[in-house]
Amino acid sequence: MNLARSLRPPPPEPVTLHDRAMDNLRFIRETMERSASFTAVSGWAGVAMGAIAVGAAWAARGQDAPERWVAIWLGAAGISFVVAIAGMFFKARTAGMPLVSGPGRKFASSFFPPILVGGILTVTLYAHGQAALLPGTWLLLYGTAVVTGGAHSVRIIPLTGIAFIFLGATAVFAPPAWGDAFMAAGFGGLHLLSGFLIVRRHGG
Amino acid sequence: MAERGAARKRTSEEADSSIGAVAGTADPGPLELDRLIHERVRLGIVSALAVNGSVRFTDLRALLNTTDGNLSAHARKLEEAGYIACQKSFEGRVPRTEYALTPVGRRELQAYLDHMEAIIRATREG
């Protein structure tokens, strides 16, 4: 009898009220963080980035000097980056979520590696006089960044990334003179379209 | 294995009822547990809606990793209590269901959070 009792597994430790309450609060916070990742990307910032890209395409068209063409697009990229960060910050603050919380960190760690590769390739291609390949390269790598960064986000984000990749893959085989048109269609058109969809469906 | 799982479930249920018992006896007013929100899927629904203007049914289902039927049943309970509002529409020919948190639901979630914090505070002070 005593032997049977000693072989019986010990009863599970009861969950304390404190632990249960802590667990509930943790669940609420994690659910909020995960669901906020659905909308961390600001649609209005996307619309603004699209408008900036359309302006840049207009300014860059017909630029014969590659350095000026690259400078216009890099300038537009810099402004767009600031707009995107500001949009995400504003949206996170409106939702009462910290920008550097779980979803924000996940997005950044997946988004920036392809962008870094894009930066290295930009310097390399430009140094070798291959600036005509930049539109396709930028579209491809930005699309990759959007797909990986938005992997856990609403469907519209990775779908936008796939559209960028498709456009980039077409651009690398297209005549160099079409470069600005592809840039306007991608960084302008796709940002405007996805931005409006995010605004409409995912709260701004 | 199954016994251990059942034991864990029993322990969890006991803890749930304990929270309710403490809430019910200590102070039946502000400390009363909102059992409607307390259930995990429903707690997940109101938590997700609290940080979003509205969320589609399919996004909620993916977020909470649950089934259509389970999500529908829990969402209906919250809707009947006036905690969430449901809007049904068509996107082309595809039906689309979106949920949003009502002011009542937001207030009840806040009360639930206050309740959990009160339990933690009381345990630490005790």
Side-chain angles (χ1 to χ4, degrees), chain A residues 58-152:
Chain A
W58 183 81
R61 78 194 151 88
Q63 290 287 346
D64 292 329
E67 64 272 14
R68 290 185 68 181
W69 184 89
V70 170
I72 288 168
W73 279 110
L74 289 184
I79 296 167
S80 296
F81 178 73
V82 173
V83 167
I85 295 294
M88 288 175 88
F89 179 80
F90 182 76
K91 195 164 182 177
R93 201 180 62 172
T94 307
M97 298 294 294
L99 187 62
V100 289
S101 66
R105 262 201 308 272
K106 258 194 292 185
F107 183 86
S109 62
S110 309
F111 181 83
F112 284 112
I115 297 296
L116 181 69
V117 173
I120 294 166
L121 281 176
T122 298
V123 174
T124 310
L125 290 172
Y126 181 75
H128 287 84
Q130 298 290 327
L133 288 173
L134 286 175
T137 308
W138 285 344
L139 288 163
L140 280 169
L141 287 167
Y142 184 76
T144 308
V146 173
V147 169
T148 54
H152 303 289

Side-chain angles (χ1 to χ4, degrees), chain A residues 12-15 17-18 20-25 27-28 31-32 34-35 38-39 95 97 154-155 201-202, chain B residues 7 11-12 16 18-19 22 38 40 43-44 47-48 50-52 56 59 63 91 112-113 116 120 123-124:
Chain A
E13 283 185 25
V15 179
L17 286 180
H18 175 271
R20 191 71 182 155
M22 287 287 280
D23 184 47
N24 281 341
L25 287 182
F27 173 74
I28 291 168
T31 306
M32 283 180 169
R34 277 188 293 129
S35 79
F38 282 126
T39 54
M97 298 294 294
V154 279
R155 213 177 316 152
R201 293 181 182 174
H202 305 291
Chain B
T11 313
S12 167
D16 274 3
S18 309
I19 289 176
V22 167
H38 189 54
R40 269 296 157 107
L43 187 58
S47 301
V51 289
N52 294 286
R56 295 169 78 160
D59 289 337
L63 176 74
E91 211 173 53
Y112 183 83
L113 287 169
M116 290 298 123
I120 293 165
T123 320
R124 279 181 181 159

Side-chain angles (χ1 to χ4, degrees), chain B:
Chain B
M1 191 73 180
E3 277 178 17
R4 193 181 298 169
R8 195 177 297 138
K9 194 179 174 202
R10 268 201 307 278
T11 313
S12 167
E13 283 166 357
E14 281 159 14
D16 274 3
S17 62
S18 309
I19 289 176
V22 167
T25 54
D27 184 349
L31 276 182
E32 192 168 344
L33 183 75
D34 187 343
R35 291 198 162 277
L36 197 63
I37 283 186
H38 189 54
E39 198 283 330
R40 269 296 157 107
V41 175
R42 295 197 287 269
L43 187 58
I45 294 171
V46 290
S47 301
L49 296 180
V51 289
N52 294 286
S54 63
V55 179
R56 295 169 78 160
F57 182 90
T58 46
D59 289 337
L60 265 180
R61 187 187 56 198
L63 176 74
L64 300 172
N65 194 23
T66 187
T67 60
D68 281 6
N70 198 25
L71 180 60
S72 292
H74 287 298
R76 199 178 310 120
K77 282 187 182 172
L78 289 170
E79 200 185 341
E80 283 167 2
Y83 287 17
I84 65 171
C86 172
Q87 192 181 14
K88 289 177 191 279
S89 58
F90 277 88
E91 211 173 53
R93 289 183 179 179
V94 183
R96 176 176 152 175
T97 305
E98 269 185 308
Y99 294 105
L101 199 63
T102 64
V104 175
R106 193 170 290 279
R107 199 170 58 234
E108 293 303 324
L109 177 63
Q110 186 57 53
Y112 183 83
L113 287 169
D114 291 344
H115 186 176
M116 290 298 123
E117 283 167 1
I119 289 172
I120 293 165
R121 211 168 33 243
T123 320
R124 279 181 181 159
E125 285 166 3

